[in-house]
Amino acid sequence: MTQTNSERLERLHTFLTQEKMRLWNELRVELFETLGEGLHSQYDIPQDVGEKGIIDLLEDTGLAVADIHKEELSRIEEALRRLANGSYGFCEDCGEPIDEGRLRVAPFAPCCVDCQERREEHSSTKGLTL
Ligand SMILES: [Zn+2]
């Protein structure tokens, strides 16, 4: 069982890391497309600007589009932290491991499919909440 569990963690870690990279790349592209050429001269960003550099840059520019990505990135960071301390990927309600396929579609799902359905039954006035 330990073997299976560590393989699962390994796969989830790879997945989350890829998600993080994808988000950073999107963020970069959006930043440069939105601000265009002026960005380089105005902020003097090196081509290989690091994560910290981009965060600083975002705070300087105050782009709304970037806020969405910042939000997602902080959730990914949180997920990676929880993965490191062993609390990521488990259902909040029943404590069972959440299906990996589900986590790939909804990395921040707080609970498993069964419990999600139960939750939705109980909150009939609310729409889909992941
Ligand atoms: Zn559950």
Side-chain angles (χ1 to χ4, degrees), residues 112-129:
C112 71
V113 179
D114 289 348
C115 293
Q116 179 72 41
E117 280 172 7
R118 250 195 305 277
R119 282 183 181 204
E120 277 160 20
E121 275 170 33
H122 286 288
S123 59
S124 50
T125 49
K126 292 252 177 180
L128 271 176
T129 45

Side-chain angles (χ1 to χ4, degrees), residues 1 13-14 19 27 46 51 57 61 71 88 95 122:
M1 273 318 262
H13 185 266
T14 304
E19 278 293 289
L27 190 53
E51 295 180 4
L57 184 66
T61 57
E71 170 83 28
Y88 176 76
H122 286 288

